[in-house]
Amino acid sequence: MSIPTPHITAKYGEIAKKVLMPGDPLRAKFIAEKYLQDIVCFNTVRNMFGYTGTYKGEKVSIMGSGMGMPSIGIYSYELYKFYDVDSIIRIGSAGSLRDDVHVMDIVIGMGACTNSNYVSQYKLNGTFAPIANYELLNKAVEVAKLQGKKTVVGNILSSDTFYSNDTTANDSWKKMGVIAVEMEAAALYMNAALLNKKALCMLTISDHIYLDENLSAEERQLGFSNMIEIALDI
């Protein structure tokens, strides 16, 4: 396959080596317009907006990933494989499973458990453990400390189901120490492993699975500035 790809219309060189990927394409637009200078839109296919600009003199791109592992699986693979992107940092939202992790807290996914069948394509004789790139993870923790922002680092769950018919599933993952649940990181980590690239997932808690805490859709789209500023400074 050559570029443009079926899902990204950018020419080679129009996408930076470092890409930040929120799930929501409108959040990508908001971040680019708020934080980047000299922005250029490189993709509008399926309204999955992508932008390249500069932040503190560094070239950086921001692009939506859509919802779920099939969607981020497509976009991250094409970015890594055909546009020679080195690092993708997912900046998303998640539901907290832990009693001491609340709305607006920042979680960094060291590992990403999953109930997805995404890994089956690799035909591995066992269970693969999708993990973050340590260099990016370590930098994220250091940057957060310098910015005076608290982060929680540990295991997250990438789920294929938002509305699950299994009402006991969250209890089981919580018992295993999983911090929060989202829907994309495991596929991103697997693509990075396959293609020898770097990946990190940073999440802002948008709701709590067990407590009455949640953000509105607008707050999720326009908020999360603490997480975004950490990701930009990595």
Side-chain angles (χ1 to χ4, degrees), residues 157-168:
L157 169 66
S158 298
S159 177
D160 265 350
T161 51
F162 189 89
Y163 300 105
S164 177
N165 194 53
D166 183 353
T167 58
T168 66

Side-chain angles (χ1 to χ4, degrees), residues 17-47:
K17 295 291 187 180
K18 169 183 168 182
V19 178
L20 272 57
M21 292 199 84
D24 185 351
L26 289 179
R27 193 185 306 156
K29 182 176 186 291
F30 169 78
I31 296 168
E33 292 176 345
K34 180 174 181 179
Y35 290 98
L36 303 188
Q37 302 293 320
D38 304 316
I39 62 172
V40 175
C41 180
F42 63 77
N43 193 68
T44 60
V45 176
R46 297 174 181 259
N47 282 333

Side-chain angles (χ1 to χ4, degrees), residues 1-11 15 42-48 63 71 73-75 77-79 81-83:
M1 185 183 296
S2 59
I3 57 173
T5 68
H7 309 96
I8 304 174
T9 56
K11 298 176 183 177
I15 302 176
F42 63 77
N43 193 68
T44 60
V45 176
R46 297 174 181 259
N47 282 333
M48 194 58 70
M63 183 179 179
S71 186
I74 290 170
Y75 290 111
Y77 186 91
E78 292 185 0
L79 289 170
K81 180 74 172 180
F82 304 111
Y83 288 96

Side-chain angles (χ1 to χ4, degrees), residues 41-217:
C41 180
F42 63 77
N43 193 68
T44 60
V45 176
R46 297 174 181 259
N47 282 333
M48 194 58 70
F49 304 128
Y51 303 88
T52 296
T54 58
Y55 178 76
K56 297 182 178 179
E58 177 192 1
K59 186 177 179 181
V60 60
S61 294
I62 301 174
M63 183 179 179
S65 71
M67 290 190 291
M69 281 172 274
S71 186
I72 198 171
I74 290 170
Y75 290 111
S76 62
Y77 186 91
E78 292 185 0
L79 289 170
Y80 283 142
K81 180 74 172 180
F82 304 111
Y83 288 96
D84 202 24
V85 168
D86 288 335
S87 303
I88 296 177
I89 302 173
R90 164 163 157 70
I91 43 175
S93 58
S96 176
L97 296 173
R98 251 174 53 174
D99 296 340
D100 60 343
V101 177
H102 300 281
V103 166
M104 296 304 294
D105 285 351
I106 299 171
V107 173
I108 302 176
M110 182 188 310
C113 307
T114 187
N115 56 21
S116 172
N117 200 38
Y118 193 90
V119 72
S120 65
Q121 64 181 303
Y122 307 122
K123 301 186 184 302
L124 300 169
N125 186 25
T127 302
F128 182 76
I131 59 172
N133 172 264
Y134 177 77
E135 180 185 354
L136 291 180
L137 189 152
N138 188 51
K139 285 184 178 179
V141 172
E142 290 180 350
V143 168
K145 288 179 180 178
L146 289 173
Q147 294 182 0
K149 296 166 182 171
K150 176 187 174 183
T151 59
V152 181
V153 180
N155 222 348
I156 60 175
L157 169 66
S158 298
S159 177
D160 265 350
T161 51
F162 189 89
Y163 300 105
S164 177
N165 194 53
D166 183 353
T167 58
T168 66
N170 288 326
D171 296 340
S172 299
W173 291 111
K174 180 181 181 182
K175 188 184 296 184
M176 294 301 293
V178 174
I179 300 170
V181 55
E182 52 89 68
M183 301 186 74
E184 288 84 26
L188 173 63
Y189 287 1
M190 288 184 220
N191 279 352
L194 176 70
L195 299 169
N196 195 28
K197 301 286 187 172
K198 300 176 184 179
L200 179 68
C201 177
M202 299 179 59
L203 304 162
T204 298
I205 299 300
S206 59
D207 59 277
H208 202 291
I209 304 300
Y210 295 94
L211 305 176
D212 186 20
E213 300 178 8
N214 59 82
L215 301 178
S216 68

